[in-house]
Amino acid sequence: MLRVSTLFTENADLAALSKQAEKLTLSQQKWNAVVPAALKPYTQAGNLNHNRLTVYANNGAVAAKIKLLLPSLIVGLQKQGLEITSIRVEVQVKSAQTQAHRKLRTLSPAAAASLEKLAADLQGSPLGDVIARLSSRR
């Protein structure tokens, strides 16, 4: 049985893919060392072509902040050993963002009883109907 690393070195197409993956990993590591911690989860380093690093931001606000920090980021990346002269920032919105699950809130028995009394006083009005539905959340 062949080792995976041997498979990547023997096949020319896979060797080129492996080399590109190593470049991307190196760029990401150096980017993580330079970018502020608050922006790190919202950015990702991309290709490095013709001394230009492409950086992907999750939204426009993050992209704007990166653009403000470009001079210091370029100097920091050059100190890390990357031969870059510019950074291109692109907004790449994630297609499926997970929504936070809402915690179902319940009423205490005393609060529900007070709301039921108020709903009975306002019976027949739109507000009374809404309060009646609210009081049923126990």
Side-chain angles (χ1 to χ4, degrees):
M1 185 166 149
L2 291 174
R3 288 187 156 190
V4 175
S5 60
T6 306
L7 184 66
F8 277 105
T9 56
E10 289 179 355
N11 186 323
D13 293 334
L14 292 177
L17 181 65
S18 176
K19 186 175 179 181
Q20 180 66 20
E22 288 174 10
K23 284 182 183 180
L24 288 172
T25 302
L26 181 66
S27 294
Q28 184 66 43
Q29 289 171 348
K30 294 191 181 209
W31 174 255
N32 285 341
V34 173
V35 70
L39 297 176
K40 198 178 296 185
Y42 307 106
T43 61
Q44 183 174 353
N47 286 332
L48 177 61
N49 290 327
H50 305 292
N51 295 337
R52 175 188 281 175
L53 177 67
T54 303
V55 174
Y56 299 102
N58 284 6
N59 58 52
V62 173
K65 184 66 176 176
I66 291 171
K67 287 181 182 180
L68 290 173
L69 299 172
L70 279 180
S72 63
L73 291 171
I74 291 172
V75 169
L77 289 168
Q78 288 171 343
K79 287 180 181 177
Q80 289 286 326
L82 280 182
E83 295 180 20
I84 65 165
T85 56
S86 65
I87 296 176
R88 179 179 179 188
V89 181
E90 291 187 13
V91 176
Q92 188 173 28
V93 179
K94 292 184 178 181
S95 60
Q97 293 182 354
T98 57
Q99 300 253 343
H101 296 287
R102 286 187 171 186
K103 183 180 175 183
L104 184 60
R105 296 181 182 173
T106 58
L107 297 173
S108 68
S114 295
L115 285 175
E116 285 173 1
K117 182 178 183 267
L118 181 60
D121 291 343
L122 299 173
Q123 188 175 12
S125 69
L127 181 59
D129 296 340
V130 171
I131 293 176
R133 281 196 309 260
L134 180 62
S135 68
S136 65
R137 294 185 183 178
R138 293 183 183 206

